[in-house]
Amino acid sequence: MNDILLKVEDLHTYFYTYEGVVKAVDGVSFDIKKGEIFGLVGETGCGKSVTALSIIGLIDEPGKIVGGKIIFKGKNLLEMSEEEKRKIRGKEISMIFQEPMTALNPVYTIGDQIIELLLLHEEGIANIKKAPKELKKEKRKKAIEMLRLVRMPDPERTIDSYPHELSGGMRQRAMIAMMLATNPSLLIADEPTTALDVTVQAQILKILTDMRDKLGVSILLITHDLSVIAEVTDRVGVMYAGNIVEIADTFTIFQNPKHPYTVGLMEAIPKITEKKEELRQIRGSVPNLIYPPPGCRFHPRCDYAKPICKKEKPKLIEIEPGHFVACHLYGGEANE
Amino acid sequence: MKLWQYVVRRLIMLIPVVIGVTLITFTISHVIPANPARAWAGQKAPEEVVKRIAEKYHLNDPLYVQYYYYLAGLVKGDWGYSHSEHRPVIACLADYFPATFELTLWAMMIAIPLGIYLGVVSAVKRNKVPDHLSRVFALSGVSMPIFWLGLLLILVFYTYLGIFPASGRGIAPSHTYTGLYILDSILSLDFHALVDDVWHIILPSITLSYATLAVITRMTRSSMLEVLRLDYIKTAKAKGLPDRVVIYRHALRNAMIPTLTVSGLAFAGLLGGAVLTETIFSWPGMGRYAYHAISTLDFPAIMGVTFLMAVIFVIANLIVDILYAYLDPRIKLGE
Ligand SMILES: Nc1ncnc2c1ncn2[C@@H]1O[C@H](COP(=O)(O)OP(=O)(O)OP(=O)(O)O)[C@@H](O)[C@H]1O
Ligand code: SF4
Ligand SMILES: [Mg+2]
């Protein structure tokens, strides 16, 4: 299929800690199409950020990608040299983080940080101080354009501000402007709005969808907020304890969830008609990823668990076109 | 606030510091029940001489009068008479301070770049061989007695190998401009003195630098480790920047801020004269002078040295604060 930009196949990322091996990502597969916004949702600690960092190649010690493939534009990123990956990072695949407060370097202006990126990928100049003045001026113009594109107020002035002089929402705009300045094909946004207040959240989400529409960038949007998923994503992957348990288009996930965990998540959404006390929680707690439960990792919390669930890990299978579920309730004996 | 306004304001703040410091040293040196006039005149001097000395230096006046005379003298550049040296305190300081300053300068020129470099390597190669080596090196630096290191260096490089001399500052350059031998010998194109002076300063400056080097290494390592886990380092890596740019441009600039404080205070501290190093290497600096002054009850000298030190500390702090504001745009001078 030609419209697939990124294909993650059976990704395994482990952390080798003193307490044991944390199997943070344990067989994750999904793909992202060109120009789509793909949401990744799940409880805290289920491996969303680790998946994202694995894709962009920023897993640090004690972490290690121990298996799988990450195929981006037809090439497996995991087989590339560090140098080749560095050329893709920030140019073809960019990433923005949760805390706009701390994601920008406090000692450089917004402009310097954007210009640095443009010089690196467009001119091959890693040290901003060594760039000719003319070139810097040219990049500065482009940086102002980008800031205008993300609707930064007064970009000619803001470009010379330091991060601490801007509000959280403005910083996140600056991050988005920077990370899209090189016109990448994939933007990974790891909880980009979690740290912001609600009105600003909505603005940032609007900017992200606008950018997708104007620049055609695909976005991997990570969140644990289902309302964010509902608002902006085209398709969704649901993660549980290092696995993807369900993938479908956003409408289907909300209207026709299949995996018992996804069903539980949907029921936990407060509805206007319900009283607070009636709000359902999924019972039990998030499993330890050093000694995860055998078989289906959700079985200790699942109301539908069968004997096989404790023994065999369910595979992710396509139960309807485009709707994938990893659960023994679906797919029949052939897959067990 | 403009830089000069800030500097002026801070220098004005020197006044209370000066009053405080002089008041303390003055009081302490005058409540010690000793007879300085007798000490200065010598044990065998006739009573007549002792009396004259006491009169000349207002030793019989009430303390506040003596203090007034002292302050008035300080302002006029008359810092009293150093009886242990038989010349004015100011003249002694003019001789000894440049010697200490030069030694400290060299020690810091070794300690700061090397300490930062080792700290960075240590943090980046955390828990690997380079880190272990640099930590052992730093640990020995903070725990090794300075006189032991000095004697060891003398033993190896002077006694056995005969490469470097072990005492004094070397040949005085043909002209004196600053009192710093090496700088003066360059200015006066006296290359004979230059070689000799450089040779002389190597062992004492290494000895003096080691403890500071160790502190700077440890400080840089820990603040680098702190900074390297922050989000903006992740951002810098996500931009595809090469490691060296991530480490030196993005991390070190931030990690330098605590290192700077340590360096500034260490510099000021060393300027007070490192008694041990100066004694071991017979370096004619402030440390040896102060030590000598204390053991001979040379109060004007003690007070002069203390006063100079206080001024140096205030100025060092001022410089550190200005550099702070330069390194970190979040810090605004005067707020
Ligand atoms: N550097 C690390 N060392 C050890 N374990 C780690 C490390 N980074 C992540 N983990 C573990 O990997 C698991 C997945 O973490 P991850 O950050 O991907 O969660 P997440 O889904 O992004 O959660 P959140 O919503 O809180 O951001 C967690 O159990 C975490 O403890
Ligand atoms: S596989 Fe079994 S335990 Fe897991 S979700 Fe399905 S029914 Fe529940
Ligand atoms: Mg996360």
Side-chain angles (χ1 to χ4, degrees), chain B residues 114 118 132-142 210 213-214 217:
Chain B
L114 196 58
L118 288 178
H132 294 314
L133 290 179
S134 121
R135 286 169 77 184
V136 168
F137 181 72
L139 192 66
S140 60
V142 287
Y210 196 26
L213 169 62
T217 303

Side-chain angles (χ1 to χ4, degrees), chain A residues 227-283:
Chain A
S227 64
V228 169
I229 292 286
E231 205 164 319
V232 298
T233 62
D234 300 309
R235 288 195 306 135
V236 188
V238 179
M239 273 191 89
Y240 181 78
N243 298 133
I244 293 244
V245 295
E246 185 160 7
I247 300 175
D249 62 81
T250 309
F251 184 79
T252 307
I253 281 285
F254 281 90
Q255 292 309 313
N256 191 17
K258 290 290 188 222
H259 194 281
Y261 175 65
T262 317
V263 173
L265 278 184
M266 295 304 158
E267 284 174 353
I269 300 177
K271 297 197 179 65
I272 301 167
T273 51
E274 281 176 10
K275 286 197 203 117
K276 262 239 162 71
E277 305 87 73
E278 288 164 332
L279 213 159
R280 277 198 45 184
Q281 283 284 328
I282 304 174
R283 68 183 167 85

Side-chain angles (χ1 to χ4, degrees), chain A residues 30-245:
Chain A
F30 63 94
D31 46 47
I32 297 177
K33 301 194 177 89
K34 284 184 183 145
E36 86 169 335
I37 301 183
F38 184 87
L40 205 51
V41 69
E43 287 164 294
T44 180
C46 69
K48 304 182 297 289
S49 297
V50 173
T51 304
L53 292 171
S54 301
I55 294 169
I56 200 168
L58 291 183
I59 292 292
D60 280 330
E61 278 183 23
K64 203 170 179 241
I65 298 178
V66 292
K69 288 182 190 162
I70 298 174
I71 296 167
F72 178 74
K73 293 191 170 170
K75 281 194 206 137
N76 187 355
L77 296 178
L78 300 183
E79 282 167 0
M80 288 185 182
S81 69
E82 190 46 41
E83 196 55 28
E84 284 173 298
K85 278 190 280 186
R86 217 169 46 67
K87 294 223 165 85
I88 289 179
R89 236 177 263 152
K91 169 97 181 82
E92 302 253 19
I93 304 179
S94 289
M95 182 157 179
I96 60 176
F97 301 93
Q98 171 168 346
E99 277 292 340
M101 296 294 181
T102 54
L104 288 160
N105 196 323
V107 302
Y108 299 111
T109 61
I110 302 298
D112 274 353
Q113 299 189 51
I114 302 178
I115 292 167
E116 178 183 51
L117 180 67
L118 289 169
L119 285 170
L120 176 70
H121 290 297
E122 292 180 353
E123 313 296 335
I125 300 171
N127 188 343
I128 183 171
K129 282 191 198 135
K130 289 194 184 137
K133 265 223 171 76
E134 281 310 303
L135 217 49
K136 269 202 239 178
K137 247 190 203 147
E138 183 191 319
K139 303 299 168 198
R140 186 186 160 87
K141 263 193 204 134
K142 188 159 180 192
I144 293 175
E145 277 321 302
M146 283 312 295
L147 289 174
R148 187 164 292 132
L149 202 62
V150 299
R151 293 197 287 276
M152 178 73 93
D154 200 0
E156 272 93 358
R157 224 168 45 86
T158 326
I159 192 168
D160 293 318
S161 314
Y162 287 97
H164 72 274
E165 295 165 340
L166 305 180
S167 68
M170 280 161 85
R171 275 183 243 197
Q172 199 59 297
R173 278 169 214 234
M175 267 305 275
I176 295 172
M178 173 164 82
M179 287 311 197
L180 291 180
T182 50
N183 203 3
S185 327
L186 177 65
L187 176 72
I188 301 172
D190 190 352
E191 314 246 12
T193 59
T194 310
L196 306 171
D197 57 41
V198 188
T199 47
V200 183
Q201 259 189 29
Q203 292 166 3
I204 297 293
L205 290 176
K206 178 79 172 66
I207 288 164
L208 285 177
T209 46
D210 276 5
M211 292 301 111
R212 187 269 306 270
D213 298 342
K214 282 185 190 152
L215 308 172
V217 60
S218 304
I219 299 175
L220 171 59
L221 182 69
I222 294 173
T223 179
H224 52 246
D225 184 344
L226 284 166
S227 64
V228 169
I229 292 286
E231 205 164 319
V232 298
T233 62
D234 300 309
R235 288 195 306 135
V236 188
V238 179
M239 273 191 89
Y240 181 78
N243 298 133
I244 293 244
V245 295

Side-chain angles (χ1 to χ4, degrees), chain B residues 126 223-234:
Chain B
R126 181 184 195 178
S223 59
M224 273 300 276
L225 284 177
E226 191 99 337
V227 168
L228 283 173
R229 2 173 239 97
L230 296 179
D231 280 354
Y232 58 78
I233 298 304
K234 246 191 255 160

